[in-house]
Amino acid sequence: MLKGIKLRLYPSKLQQAQLLQMFGNNRFVWNQMLAMAKQRYKNNPSSHFVNGYQMDALLKRLKQEYPFLKESDSTSLQVANHNLAQSFKMLFKHQGGYPRFKSRHTVKQSYTGKSTISVVAKRYLKLPKLGIIKSSKTTQLTDCKVKRYTVSYDQTGRYYLSLQVETDEPALLPKTGKTVGLDMGIADLAISSDGEKFSTFNAKWLEKQSTIWQSKYSKRKYQATVAVRQWNHNHKDFKMEIDDYQNWQRARRRKARYQQRIANQRKDYLHKLTTDLVKQYDVIVIEDLKTKNLR
């Protein structure tokens, strides 16, 4: 069976620079192929669509013209082409919008590859082009085969490795012969047919801190925007950008970390709750209702 594993990465300063380059390379290939497809259609609307395999054939010429693309895992560039081709297929089926160009200003960056990843020591992995990198919980990778991996950088300033692995099917849970029905509520998360109430997730302190830092972030970004406009208006020879002001970026990372802690704790709470229910009951029946529609 296939399952997902997410690990934390701790890259060195050199590896962080390499990752920044690899994120940019994937974004560059996506934008180049998208621009080519738009220009091709503009020149000849009746021309055939360039699929993912044809895009992969263009990668060799692209690497000759832009040698910095060789610093990336070659399979990650192929995955970028595949994702773009899939976006166009969804567009042709009227199941999605037209693909957009990717911006380097997007906080969350990532790339996906299909190369081999190996565990070299406890909490150390070997990734293509990056070499040996420190990680967490490598014991989860025993007795499984990595099919695909994704390295990501989120708005909290942390790096993660998401793995799609192939492993043996887990052992079945013992039968209990019990059945339960769940009634979704507003005051309570759910109420079972046995009369047990499951409370909603509560993280008041974290939510308060998140609100405070969200306000600080908005104020600091506004102040930085005003300062940049005033500077650029008075100094024509040297232009500044809002990214040159680190105060609002520190607030952005702080509020993002509070928001992520809330999301992680909520996910952990729901995962433990559902796991307990699955272990206790063989059949679980849930009403087909949306809480927001209850009046």
Side-chain angles (χ1 to χ4, degrees):
M1 63 172 293
L2 295 177
K3 71 174 184 178
I5 298 175
K6 189 173 184 179
L7 308 176
R8 176 87 180 272
L9 291 181
Y10 302 92
S12 62
K13 294 293 184 181
L14 177 60
Q15 290 172 333
Q16 290 180 19
Q18 288 179 285
L19 286 170
L20 184 63
Q21 179 67 49
M22 296 169 78
F23 294 148
N25 289 352
N26 268 52
R27 183 176 61 250
F28 179 81
V29 169
W30 172 284
N31 291 341
Q32 287 289 316
M33 294 299 178
L34 179 56
M36 177 205 66
K38 294 183 69 173
Q39 188 64 37
R40 179 184 176 90
Y41 179 78
K42 182 179 180 181
N43 295 338
N44 185 10
S46 61
S47 60
H48 293 286
F49 169 69
V50 178
N51 57 33
Y53 294 104
Q54 294 170 327
M55 290 182 187
D56 290 343
L58 296 174
L59 276 178
K60 185 177 181 180
R61 297 289 300 273
L62 206 60
K63 289 181 180 179
Q64 292 175 352
E65 187 175 355
Y66 303 100
F68 58 83
L69 294 178
K70 297 179 182 179
E71 299 178 17
S72 288
D73 180 6
S74 59
T75 62
S76 67
L77 305 181
Q78 296 173 1
V79 171
N81 289 339
H82 173 76
N83 293 339
L84 179 59
Q86 289 297 115
S87 298
F88 273 109
K89 288 181 180 179
M90 297 297 289
L91 172 66
F92 299 150
K93 294 179 180 179
H94 304 286
Q95 296 178 355
Y98 196 91
R100 298 181 180 181
F101 290 102
K102 295 185 177 181
S103 171
R104 66 182 180 90
H105 297 290
T106 304
V107 177
K108 186 175 181 179
Q109 304 285 346
S110 65
Y111 74 89
T112 302
K114 296 182 289 185
S115 298
T116 303
I117 293 179
S118 58
V119 180
V120 295
K122 185 178 181 180
R123 294 193 174 186
Y124 284 92
L125 298 171
K126 186 175 182 180
L127 269 65
K129 298 294 184 179
L130 291 173
I132 298 175
I133 185 171
K134 187 177 180 181
S135 66
S136 62
K137 301 179 181 179
T138 52
T139 53
Q140 298 184 47
L141 301 181
T142 56
D143 300 329
C144 63
K145 179 181 179 182
V146 178
K147 304 291 288 185
R148 181 171 293 197
Y149 73 94
T150 299
V151 180
S152 59
Y153 173 81
D154 65 9
Q155 56 186 354
T156 63
R158 296 169 180 169
Y159 295 86
Y160 292 95
L161 176 66
S162 301
L163 301 168
Q164 183 188 64
V165 299
E166 186 178 27
T167 183
D168 297 332
E169 293 187 7
L172 297 177
L173 296 174
K175 298 291 184 179
T176 62
K178 296 182 180 180
T179 303
V180 69
L182 296 181
D183 180 24
M184 311 307 295
I186 299 178
D188 298 305
L189 177 63
I191 302 174
S192 69
S193 56
D194 298 335
E196 184 178 1
K197 294 183 179 181
F198 302 97
S199 60
T200 57
F201 172 75
N202 187 3
K204 290 185 178 180
W205 186 84
L206 289 175
E207 291 174 354
K208 181 179 179 180
Q209 294 299 316
S210 176
T211 303
I212 291 173
W213 281 98
Q214 178 67 52
S215 177
K216 290 183 179 181
Y217 163 75
S218 300
K219 291 178 181 178
R220 292 181 185 182
K221 186 175 182 181
Y222 173 76
Q223 293 170 353
T225 303
V226 172
V228 166
R229 290 177 179 176
Q230 291 176 348
W231 175 274
N232 292 339
H233 178 75
N234 298 326
H235 302 78
K236 303 297 182 181
D237 54 338
F238 178 74
K239 298 291 184 180
M240 294 188 67
E241 296 183 359
I242 190 174
D243 290 343
D244 296 329
Y245 288 79
Q246 299 296 319
N247 197 25
W248 72 274
Q249 295 190 40
R250 284 193 292 268
R252 174 183 59 79
R253 288 191 293 268
R254 182 67 68 87
K255 65 102 177 175
R257 289 182 180 180
Y258 280 119
Q259 292 172 350
Q260 188 183 57
R261 286 179 63 184
I262 294 173
N264 290 343
Q265 290 186 15
R266 180 184 293 109
K267 187 185 298 182
D268 180 70
Y269 172 75
L270 295 175
H271 180 69
K272 290 178 179 177
L273 178 62
T274 52
T275 302
D276 290 339
L277 287 172
V278 170
K279 289 181 178 179
Q280 293 179 25
Y281 303 99
D282 290 346
V283 179
I284 301 174
V285 182
I286 304 176
E287 60 180 349
D288 187 15
L289 286 177
K290 294 182 180 179
T291 306
K292 66 179 181 179
N293 294 336
L294 300 177
R295 300 184 184 279

